[in-house]
């Protein structure tokens, strides 16, 4: 599952190995010309300056993926958040990950405006903060974990033309020990300008009461499963994005730069 991949996982999880895997999967994606299902937003071609006073939010306990994507910020935000877009449900959850019986509810407020590239002057983006929607889907059997339904709650924690943040809580009550923990994920998307965005995903396990003896296995399985999810998500985003600029370096190079910088620090 996304929140707990397999209780049989015993190796210490290495996220940088997964980042390399993502680089291998989608390197040189600037040359891809597959399925242009993400509508282009002309404003995404402009350069962007980080707003004064902007603070990068703290990641959750474990960073899964940190990657630059060759797709414009507003274009990506629309695909991820707009209820008019089927990209997240159909392309990511169903086609890429093989989930079924997907139900994505509308946002509980401002559903007609969240994710839209342009807004009228009377709409204040800060009103979107705290908006929540629910999602559920049936996940196929994986390892010793039988087919089960995952239940998610998505919350908008930040929303402006430089960054948007989605925090997600996933529950899998039908997996082993599933009623004893929750999977908390934070995804930060940043506008890099020139039709590029950055995605940083982090995760932590929240145990409801006293953690079971297999808590470390649950954590490792969760970290691995969530990272696999974002590897797949990054790949499908790139497959569906027509890059409007000459992206001079590969995704693999970008990942390795992040990895090298982290190693030095």
């Amino acid at each position: 599952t996304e929140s707990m991949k397999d209780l049989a996982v015993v190796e210490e999880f290495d996220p940088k190995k997964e980042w390399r895997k993502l680089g291998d999967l989608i390197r040189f994606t600037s040359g891809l010309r597959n399925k242009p299902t993400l509508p282009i937003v002309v404003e995404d071609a402009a350069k962007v300056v980080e707003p004064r006073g902007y603070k990068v939010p703290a990641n959750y306990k474990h960073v899964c993926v940190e990657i630059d994507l060759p797709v414009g910020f507003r274009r990506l935000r629309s695909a991820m958040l707009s209820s008019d877009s089927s990209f997240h449900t159909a392309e990511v959850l169903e086609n890429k990950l093989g989930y079924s019986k997907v139900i994505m509810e509308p946002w509980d407020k401002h559903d007609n405006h969240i994710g839209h590239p342009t807004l009228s002057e009377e709409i204040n983006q800060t009103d979107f903060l705290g908006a929540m929607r629910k999602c559920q889907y049936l996940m196929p059997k994986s390892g010793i974990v039988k087919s089960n339904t995952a239940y998610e709650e998505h919350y908008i924690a930040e929303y402006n033309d430089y960054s948007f943040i989605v925090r997600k809580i996933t529950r899998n009550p039908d997996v082993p020990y599933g009623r004893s923990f929750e999977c908390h994920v934070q995804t930060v998307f940043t506008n890099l300008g020139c039709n590029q965005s950055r995605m940083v995903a982090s995760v932590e396990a929240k145990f409801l009461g006293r953690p079971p003896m297999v808590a470390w296995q649950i954590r490792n399985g969760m970290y691995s499963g969530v990272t696999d999810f974002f590897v797949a998500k990054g790949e499908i985003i790139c497959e569906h994005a027509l890059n409007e600029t000459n992206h001079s370096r590969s995704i693999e190079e970008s990942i390795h730069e992040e990895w090298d910088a982290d190693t030095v620090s």
Side-chain angles (χ1 to χ4, degrees), residues 6-11 144 217:
D6 194 328
L7 277 179
V9 174
V10 294
E11 295 181 357
I144 66 171
Q217 291 177 293

Side-chain angles (χ1 to χ4, degrees), residues 26-47:
I26 60 176
R27 66 178 182 274
F28 305 127
T29 53
S30 60
L32 288 175
R33 291 296 181 266
N34 299 332
K35 306 176 183 177
T37 55
L38 303 180
I40 293 173
V41 180
V42 294
E43 290 84 355
D44 283 338
K47 293 182 178 180

Side-chain angles (χ1 to χ4, degrees), residues 147-185:
S147 175
N148 66 93
T149 300
Y151 302 89
E152 296 183 347
E153 294 176 0
H154 304 176
Y155 297 89
I156 295 179
E158 186 166 317
Y159 192 108
N160 53 64
D161 287 336
Y162 183 72
S163 174
F164 73 93
I165 299 174
V166 177
R167 292 176 179 148
K168 178 175 69 174
I169 301 173
T170 304
R171 301 175 179 91
N172 297 80
D174 297 328
V175 304
Y177 302 97
R179 297 184 184 276
S180 70
F181 67 90
E182 297 173 342
C183 175
H184 289 231
V185 174

Side-chain angles (χ1 to χ4, degrees), residues 2 13-20 22 59-67 183-187 199-204 219-231 255:
E2 179 193 335
F13 179 62
D14 180 6
K16 296 180 181 63
K17 180 179 178 182
E18 299 299 323
W19 295 0
R20 291 183 181 277
L22 178 57
N59 293 316
Y60 283 1
K61 187 172 182 180
H62 196 92
V63 176
C64 297
V65 167
E66 184 171 356
I67 180 67
C183 175
H184 289 231
V185 174
Q186 175 179 271
T187 313
M199 178 175 71
V200 180
S202 56
V203 59
E204 61 184 76
R219 266 190 216 97
N220 272 4
M222 181 182 295
Y223 296 165
S224 179
V226 173
T227 299
D228 283 349
F229 172 85
F230 281 101
V231 166
I255 293 174

